[in-house]
Protein backbone atom coordinates (compact mmCIF):
# COMPACT_ATOMS: atom_id res chain seq x y z
CA UNK A 1 0.00 0.00 0.00
CA UNK A 2 1.42 3.37 -1.05
CA UNK A 3 1.64 5.75 1.92
CA UNK A 4 3.32 8.77 0.30
CA UNK A 5 0.92 11.42 1.72
CA UNK A 6 2.59 13.93 4.04
CA UNK A 7 1.84 17.37 5.41
CA UNK A 8 2.12 20.03 2.71
CA UNK A 9 0.81 23.49 1.90
CA UNK A 10 -1.96 23.55 -0.71
CA UNK A 11 -1.49 27.26 -1.30
CA UNK A 12 2.09 26.43 -2.26
CA UNK A 13 0.84 23.65 -4.54
CA UNK A 14 -1.40 26.14 -6.34
CA UNK A 15 1.47 28.61 -6.65
CA UNK A 16 3.78 25.94 -8.04
CA UNK A 17 1.22 25.30 -10.77
CA UNK A 18 1.19 29.04 -11.53
CA UNK A 19 5.00 29.07 -11.84
CA UNK A 20 4.93 26.20 -14.31
CA UNK A 21 2.05 27.84 -16.18
CA UNK A 22 4.28 30.88 -16.84
CA UNK A 23 6.79 28.62 -18.62
CA UNK A 24 4.92 26.64 -21.31
CA UNK A 25 7.97 24.58 -22.34
CA UNK A 26 8.05 23.29 -18.78
CA UNK A 27 10.56 23.53 -15.94
CA UNK A 28 13.18 21.18 -14.59
CA UNK A 29 13.06 20.20 -10.92
CA UNK A 30 15.94 22.50 -9.95
CA UNK A 31 14.33 25.38 -11.83
CA UNK A 32 11.06 24.90 -9.96
CA UNK A 33 12.95 24.85 -6.65
CA UNK A 34 14.85 28.03 -7.50
CA UNK A 35 11.71 29.91 -8.58
CA UNK A 36 9.73 28.66 -5.57
CA UNK A 37 12.42 30.02 -3.24
CA UNK A 38 12.93 33.32 -5.09
CA UNK A 39 9.18 34.00 -5.33
CA UNK A 40 8.53 33.05 -1.69
CA UNK A 41 6.29 30.12 -2.61
CA UNK A 42 8.10 27.64 -0.37
CA UNK A 43 9.81 29.38 2.53
CA UNK A 44 9.82 28.72 6.24
CA UNK A 45 8.09 31.18 8.55
CA UNK A 46 11.43 32.77 9.36
CA UNK A 47 12.21 33.24 5.67
CA UNK A 48 14.71 30.40 5.33
CA UNK A 49 14.35 28.09 2.30
CA UNK A 50 13.06 24.58 2.76
CA UNK A 51 15.22 21.52 2.21
CA UNK A 52 15.15 19.81 -1.17
CA UNK A 53 13.02 17.01 0.31
CA UNK A 54 10.14 19.45 0.95
CA UNK A 55 10.34 20.76 -2.61
CA UNK A 56 10.41 17.19 -3.89
CA UNK A 57 7.36 16.22 -1.86
CA UNK A 58 5.27 19.15 -3.10
CA UNK A 59 6.34 18.57 -6.71
CA UNK A 60 5.73 14.82 -6.61
CA UNK A 61 2.33 15.31 -4.97
CA UNK A 62 1.24 17.43 -7.95
CA UNK A 63 2.37 14.62 -10.25
CA UNK A 64 0.54 11.99 -8.20
CA UNK A 65 -2.62 14.09 -8.28
CA UNK A 66 -2.32 14.24 -12.11
CA UNK A 67 -1.93 18.03 -12.09
CA UNK A 68 1.66 17.97 -13.33
CA UNK A 69 3.25 15.50 -15.69
CA UNK A 70 6.85 14.85 -16.54
CA UNK A 71 7.99 15.07 -20.15
CA UNK A 72 11.62 14.07 -20.31
CA UNK A 73 13.35 16.10 -17.60
CA UNK A 74 10.73 18.86 -17.55
CA UNK A 75 7.48 19.21 -15.63
CA UNK A 76 4.47 20.61 -17.51
CA UNK A 77 0.83 21.18 -16.64
CA UNK A 78 -1.53 18.30 -17.34
CA UNK A 79 -4.15 20.12 -19.38
CA UNK A 80 -6.20 16.92 -19.58
CA UNK A 81 -7.07 17.34 -15.92
CA UNK A 82 -10.31 19.34 -15.59
CA UNK A 83 -9.08 21.05 -12.42
CA UNK A 84 -6.08 22.76 -14.06
CA UNK A 85 -8.12 25.65 -15.46
CA UNK A 86 -9.48 26.48 -12.01
CA UNK A 87 -6.12 26.17 -10.26
CA UNK A 88 -4.35 28.46 -12.72
CA UNK A 89 -7.11 31.08 -13.03
CA UNK A 90 -5.53 33.51 -10.58
CA UNK A 91 -2.44 35.50 -11.52
CA UNK A 92 -1.08 36.41 -8.08
CA UNK A 93 1.17 34.23 -5.98
CA UNK A 94 0.62 33.95 -2.25
CA UNK A 95 -3.14 34.55 -2.14
CA UNK A 96 -5.24 32.36 0.11
CA UNK A 97 -7.06 29.51 -1.59
CA UNK A 98 -10.50 30.44 -2.83
CA UNK A 99 -13.48 28.08 -2.59
CA UNK A 100 -13.29 26.91 -6.24
CA UNK A 101 -9.61 26.10 -5.74
CA UNK A 102 -10.34 24.12 -2.58
CA UNK A 103 -13.01 22.18 -4.47
CA UNK A 104 -10.63 21.53 -7.36
CA UNK A 105 -7.91 20.19 -5.06
CA UNK A 106 -10.48 18.13 -3.15
CA UNK A 107 -11.65 16.55 -6.41
CA UNK A 108 -8.07 15.70 -7.38
CA UNK A 109 -7.35 14.15 -3.97
CA UNK A 110 -10.58 12.13 -3.97
CA UNK A 111 -9.83 10.71 -7.43
CA UNK A 112 -6.33 9.56 -6.46
CA UNK A 113 -6.25 5.78 -6.16
CA UNK A 114 -3.73 5.69 -3.31
CA UNK A 115 -5.71 8.21 -1.25
CA UNK A 116 -8.86 6.20 -1.91
CA UNK A 117 -7.27 2.87 -0.96
CA UNK A 118 -5.79 4.02 2.35
CA UNK A 119 -8.49 6.42 3.50
CA UNK A 120 -11.53 7.43 1.48
CA UNK A 121 -12.82 3.92 0.78
CA UNK A 122 -13.64 3.68 4.50
CA UNK A 123 -16.20 6.49 4.07
CA UNK A 124 -17.99 4.83 1.16
CA UNK A 125 -19.85 1.63 0.45
CA UNK A 126 -17.74 -1.23 -0.99
CA UNK A 127 -16.70 -0.60 -4.59
CA UNK A 128 -18.22 2.90 -4.52
CA UNK A 129 -15.95 5.49 -6.12
CA UNK A 130 -15.32 9.03 -4.93
CA UNK A 131 -15.92 11.25 -7.97
CA UNK A 132 -15.92 14.80 -6.61
CA UNK A 133 -16.24 16.69 -3.35
CA UNK A 134 -19.96 17.44 -3.73
CA UNK A 135 -21.01 13.82 -4.30
CA UNK A 136 -18.59 12.61 -1.63
CA UNK A 137 -20.11 14.84 1.03
CA UNK A 138 -23.62 13.69 0.15
CA UNK A 139 -22.79 9.97 0.07
CA UNK A 140 -19.97 9.43 2.56
CA UNK A 141 -20.49 8.12 6.08
CA UNK A 142 -18.49 9.07 9.18
CA UNK A 143 -15.51 7.01 10.30
CA UNK A 144 -13.59 6.47 13.52
CA UNK A 145 -9.81 6.81 13.49
CA UNK A 146 -7.48 5.54 16.22
CA UNK A 147 -3.78 6.37 16.32
CA UNK A 148 -1.96 3.80 18.42
CA UNK A 149 1.65 4.01 19.52
CA UNK A 150 3.31 1.98 22.22
CA UNK A 151 6.38 -0.09 22.95
CA UNK A 152 6.03 -3.89 22.76
CA UNK A 153 8.23 -6.94 22.99
CA UNK A 154 8.78 -9.19 19.99
CA UNK A 155 6.50 -12.21 19.94
CA UNK A 156 7.49 -15.65 18.80
CA UNK A 157 4.49 -16.14 16.54
CA UNK A 158 3.79 -14.12 13.41
CA UNK A 159 0.94 -11.63 13.54
CA UNK A 160 0.14 -10.37 10.06
CA UNK A 161 -1.90 -7.44 11.37
CA UNK A 162 0.80 -5.85 13.52
CA UNK A 163 4.46 -4.95 13.47
CA UNK A 164 6.50 -5.78 16.55
CA UNK A 165 9.74 -4.13 17.59
CA UNK A 166 12.32 -4.64 20.34
CA UNK A 167 13.84 -2.23 22.85
CA UNK A 168 13.28 1.44 22.26
CA UNK A 169 11.43 0.92 18.97
CA UNK A 170 7.69 1.38 19.15
CA UNK A 171 4.75 -0.29 17.52
CA UNK A 172 2.62 2.21 15.62
CA UNK A 173 -0.70 1.68 13.90
CA UNK A 174 -3.65 3.54 12.41
CA UNK A 175 -7.04 1.83 12.68
CA UNK A 176 -10.07 3.10 10.72
CA UNK A 177 -13.65 1.86 10.59
CA UNK A 178 -17.04 3.27 9.54
CA UNK A 179 -19.05 4.43 12.55
CA UNK A 180 -21.43 1.70 13.68
CA UNK A 181 -19.39 -1.18 12.24
CA UNK A 182 -16.95 -3.56 13.90
CA UNK A 183 -14.33 -4.25 11.20
CA UNK A 184 -11.19 -2.11 11.39
CA UNK A 185 -8.84 -1.35 8.50
CA UNK A 186 -5.34 -1.51 9.92
CA UNK A 187 -2.31 0.37 8.60
CA UNK A 188 0.98 -0.32 10.34
CA UNK A 189 4.06 1.77 10.90
CA UNK A 190 5.23 5.36 11.13
CA UNK A 191 4.43 5.96 7.46
CA UNK A 192 0.76 5.17 8.13
CA UNK A 193 0.55 7.81 10.86
CA UNK A 194 2.33 10.34 8.67
CA UNK A 195 0.06 9.60 5.70
CA UNK A 196 -3.29 9.50 7.52
CA UNK A 197 -3.00 11.78 10.53
CA UNK A 198 -0.45 14.38 9.44
CA UNK A 199 -1.16 14.05 5.72
CA UNK A 200 -4.74 13.38 4.66
CA UNK A 201 -6.35 14.66 7.86
CA UNK A 202 -4.50 17.96 7.48
CA UNK A 203 -5.35 18.18 3.78
CA UNK A 204 -9.06 17.47 4.10
CA UNK A 205 -9.86 19.14 7.44
CA UNK A 206 -7.45 22.02 7.93
CA UNK A 207 -6.85 23.18 4.36
CA UNK A 208 -9.57 21.99 1.97
CA UNK A 209 -12.44 21.85 4.47
CA UNK A 210 -14.53 18.97 3.14
CA UNK A 211 -14.06 16.89 6.30
CA UNK A 212 -14.35 17.81 9.96
CA UNK A 213 -13.31 15.90 13.06
CA UNK A 214 -14.03 15.62 16.75
CA UNK A 215 -11.55 14.12 19.20
CA UNK A 216 -12.60 11.81 22.02
CA UNK A 217 -10.81 11.63 25.38
CA UNK A 218 -9.81 8.02 24.62
CA UNK A 219 -7.59 9.11 21.71
CA UNK A 220 -10.12 8.23 19.01
CA UNK A 221 -11.47 10.84 16.63
CA UNK A 222 -14.49 10.82 14.37
CA UNK A 223 -14.11 12.21 10.85
CA UNK A 224 -17.14 13.06 8.73
CA UNK A 225 -17.88 14.89 5.45
CA UNK A 226 -19.07 18.48 5.41
CA UNK A 227 -19.68 21.15 2.80
CA UNK A 228 -16.72 23.44 2.11
CA UNK A 229 -19.13 26.38 2.13
CA UNK A 230 -21.90 26.14 4.78
CA UNK A 231 -25.30 25.59 3.18
CA UNK A 232 -27.24 26.47 6.32
CA UNK A 233 -27.36 29.77 8.20
CA UNK A 234 -26.99 29.68 11.96
CA UNK A 235 -30.71 30.42 12.29
CA UNK A 236 -31.65 27.51 10.02
CA UNK A 237 -29.27 25.22 11.88
CA UNK A 238 -30.70 26.33 15.25
CA UNK A 239 -34.19 25.33 14.12
CA UNK A 240 -32.96 21.86 13.12
CA UNK A 241 -31.00 21.42 16.35
CA UNK A 242 -33.95 22.43 18.53
CA UNK A 243 -36.25 20.04 16.65
CA UNK A 244 -33.86 17.19 17.50
CA UNK A 245 -33.98 17.80 21.27
CA UNK A 246 -35.52 15.12 23.48
CA UNK A 247 -37.56 16.78 26.22
CA UNK A 248 -38.51 15.29 29.56
CA UNK A 249 -41.23 17.63 30.70
CA UNK A 250 -40.14 21.20 30.02
CA UNK A 251 -36.40 20.51 29.90
CA UNK A 252 -33.97 18.72 27.62
CA UNK A 253 -30.40 17.91 28.64
CA UNK A 254 -27.71 17.45 26.01
CA UNK A 255 -24.06 16.49 26.21
CA UNK A 256 -22.31 19.21 24.22
CA UNK A 257 -19.70 17.12 22.32
CA UNK A 258 -22.33 14.53 21.35
CA UNK A 259 -24.82 17.16 20.18
CA UNK A 260 -22.24 19.06 18.13
CA UNK A 261 -20.93 15.91 16.46
CA UNK A 262 -24.39 14.47 15.73
CA UNK A 263 -25.46 17.80 14.24
CA UNK A 264 -22.30 18.04 12.15
CA UNK A 265 -22.78 14.56 10.72
CA UNK A 266 -26.49 14.98 10.00
CA UNK A 267 -26.37 18.48 8.52
CA UNK A 268 -22.86 18.35 6.94
CA UNK A 269 -21.76 21.41 8.93
CA UNK A 270 -18.67 21.99 11.04
CA UNK A 271 -18.47 21.18 14.73
CA UNK A 272 -17.64 24.85 15.30
CA UNK A 273 -20.86 26.02 13.63
CA UNK A 274 -22.94 23.63 15.76
CA UNK A 275 -21.13 24.73 18.92
CA UNK A 276 -21.69 28.35 17.90
CA UNK A 277 -25.44 27.80 17.92
CA UNK A 278 -25.24 26.21 21.37
CA UNK A 279 -23.16 29.11 22.65
CA UNK A 280 -25.67 31.64 21.30
CA UNK A 281 -28.45 29.81 23.16
CA UNK A 282 -26.42 29.95 26.36
CA UNK A 283 -25.47 33.61 26.16
CA UNK A 284 -28.60 35.08 24.55
CA UNK A 285 -31.31 33.23 26.48
CA UNK A 286 -30.46 33.45 30.16
CA UNK A 287 -32.92 31.44 32.26
CA UNK A 288 -33.92 29.17 29.39
CA UNK A 289 -30.50 27.60 28.82
CA UNK A 290 -28.06 26.66 31.57
CA UNK A 291 -24.58 25.17 31.33
CA UNK A 292 -23.31 22.36 33.53
CA UNK A 293 -19.59 22.80 34.29
CA UNK A 294 -16.99 20.06 34.40
CA UNK A 295 -13.40 19.91 35.61
CA UNK A 296 -10.57 20.19 33.10
CA UNK A 297 -8.84 17.32 34.83
CA UNK A 298 -11.84 15.10 34.21
CA UNK A 299 -11.77 15.84 30.46
CA UNK A 300 -8.02 15.38 30.05
CA UNK A 301 -7.46 12.50 32.50
CA UNK A 302 -5.02 9.98 31.07
CA UNK A 303 -4.15 12.05 27.99
CA UNK A 304 -0.66 13.32 27.17
CA UNK A 305 -0.21 17.08 27.41
CA UNK A 306 -0.06 17.34 23.62
CA UNK A 307 -3.69 16.15 23.36
CA UNK A 308 -5.25 18.36 26.07
CA UNK A 309 -6.18 21.21 23.72
CA UNK A 310 -7.78 18.81 21.23
CA UNK A 311 -9.90 17.18 23.93
CA UNK A 312 -11.00 20.53 25.42
CA UNK A 313 -12.00 21.84 21.99
CA UNK A 314 -15.06 19.57 22.03
CA UNK A 315 -16.58 21.45 24.98
CA UNK A 316 -18.05 24.92 25.38
CA UNK A 317 -16.41 27.50 27.58
CA UNK A 318 -18.69 29.80 29.53
CA UNK A 319 -18.14 33.58 29.74
CA UNK A 320 -16.66 32.97 33.21
CA UNK A 321 -14.07 30.60 31.75
CA UNK A 322 -15.53 27.30 33.00
CA UNK A 323 -15.66 24.33 30.66
CA UNK A 324 -19.21 23.05 30.13
CA UNK A 325 -20.03 19.44 29.39
CA UNK A 326 -23.87 19.67 29.21
CA UNK A 327 -26.64 22.18 28.54
CA UNK A 328 -30.14 22.17 30.01
CA UNK A 329 -32.62 23.73 27.58
CA UNK A 330 -36.20 24.81 28.27
CA UNK A 331 -38.80 24.14 25.60
CA UNK A 332 -39.81 27.82 25.59
CA UNK A 333 -36.50 28.55 23.86
CA UNK A 334 -38.33 27.84 20.60
CA UNK A 335 -40.54 30.90 21.00
CA UNK A 336 -37.60 33.14 21.84
CA UNK A 337 -35.63 31.84 18.84
CA UNK A 338 -38.48 32.84 16.53
CA UNK A 339 -38.29 36.37 17.88
CA UNK A 340 -34.53 36.77 17.83
CA UNK A 341 -32.45 33.70 17.07
CA UNK A 342 -29.07 33.62 15.36
CA UNK A 343 -29.18 35.46 12.03
CA UNK A 344 -25.79 34.85 10.46
Amino acid sequence: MNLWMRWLNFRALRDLLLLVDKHPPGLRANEIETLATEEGVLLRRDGRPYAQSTHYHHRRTLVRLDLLEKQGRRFVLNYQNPEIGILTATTKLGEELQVPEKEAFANAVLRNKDCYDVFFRNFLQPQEAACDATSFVERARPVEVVIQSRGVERRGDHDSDREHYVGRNRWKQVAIRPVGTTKWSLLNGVDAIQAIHFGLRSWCVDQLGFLDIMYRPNGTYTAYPKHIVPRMTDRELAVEMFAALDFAGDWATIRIPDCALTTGIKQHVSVDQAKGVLMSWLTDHFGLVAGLPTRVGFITAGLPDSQHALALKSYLRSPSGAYLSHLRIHRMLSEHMQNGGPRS
Side-chain angles (χ1 to χ4, degrees), residues 5-11 13 45 57-58 97 102 105-106 109 119-120 123 145 147 192-213 215 221 223 226:
M5 309 82 184
R6 293 294 185 273
W7 180 90
L8 47 76
N9 186 325
F10 273 81
R11 178 200 53 75
L13 290 183
R45 292 182 179 179
H57 179 57
H58 280 71
L97 289 181
K102 292 181 180 182
F105 273 128
V109 171
F119 193 53
F120 295 120
F123 291 84
V145 182
I147 308 297
I193 294 177
Q194 290 292 331
I196 301 300
H197 184 66
F198 296 103
L200 285 162
R201 179 197 58 82
S202 169
W203 298 6
C204 304
V205 178
D206 301 333
Q207 299 193 63
L208 303 181
F210 67 95
L211 290 181
D212 203 4
I213 57 176
Y215 286 86
Y221 63 84
K226 75 171 188 67

Side-chain angles (χ1 to χ4, degrees), residues 2-165:
N2 200 338
L3 296 167
W4 51 266
M5 309 82 184
R6 293 294 185 273
W7 180 90
L8 47 76
N9 186 325
F10 273 81
R11 178 200 53 75
L13 290 183
R14 191 273 319 278
D15 286 354
L16 290 175
L17 293 175
L18 294 179
L19 292 177
V20 176
D21 189 37
K22 294 178 180 178
H23 299 80
L27 293 168
R28 295 187 179 190
N30 65 321
E31 294 172 329
I32 295 177
E33 291 179 17
T34 299
L35 284 172
T37 300
E38 292 176 349
E39 298 288 345
V41 170
L42 273 174
L43 291 176
R44 303 175 190 271
R45 292 182 179 179
D46 61 6
R48 292 183 297 121
Y50 277 110
Q52 283 188 332
S53 59
T54 300
H55 286 272
Y56 171 82
H57 179 57
H58 280 71
R59 186 172 64 248
R60 289 298 300 170
T61 296
L62 288 172
V63 173
R64 288 179 168 117
L65 296 180
D66 292 326
L67 296 168
L68 279 185
E69 58 183 5
K70 197 171 184 182
Q71 295 181 355
R73 299 182 65 183
R74 294 182 177 274
F75 293 88
V76 299
L77 297 182
N78 177 14
Y79 289 105
Q80 301 302 313
N81 190 309
E83 316 303 341
I84 281 294
I86 297 172
L87 293 172
T88 57
T90 186
T91 59
K92 293 183 179 180
L93 299 174
E95 292 186 339
E96 293 299 319
L97 289 181
Q98 301 300 306
V99 170
E101 294 171 321
K102 292 181 180 182
E103 292 175 342
F105 273 128
N107 294 343
V109 171
L110 286 164
R111 286 197 298 263
N112 180 266
K113 184 179 184 302
D114 294 332
C115 295
Y116 175 87
D117 288 343
V118 303
F119 193 53
F120 295 120
R121 67 178 181 83
N122 296 285
F123 291 84
L124 299 165
Q125 297 297 329
Q127 310 304 318
E128 186 178 15
C131 301
D132 56 63
T134 299
S135 62
F136 177 79
V137 169
E138 295 297 337
R139 289 156 33 203
R141 53 191 174 176
V143 304
E144 292 178 286
V145 182
V146 182
I147 308 297
Q148 299 172 323
S149 176
R150 64 176 182 267
V152 297
E153 295 180 358
R154 187 183 298 276
R155 297 177 183 174
D157 58 333
H158 177 69
D159 184 342
S160 61
D161 287 336
R162 296 182 178 180
E163 294 177 352
H164 301 283
Y165 297 89

Side-chain angles (χ1 to χ4, degrees), residues 332-344:
M332 286 188 65
L333 174 65
S334 178
E335 299 177 18
H336 286 251
M337 285 169 47
Q338 293 173 10
N339 297 324
R343 297 180 183 274
S344 60

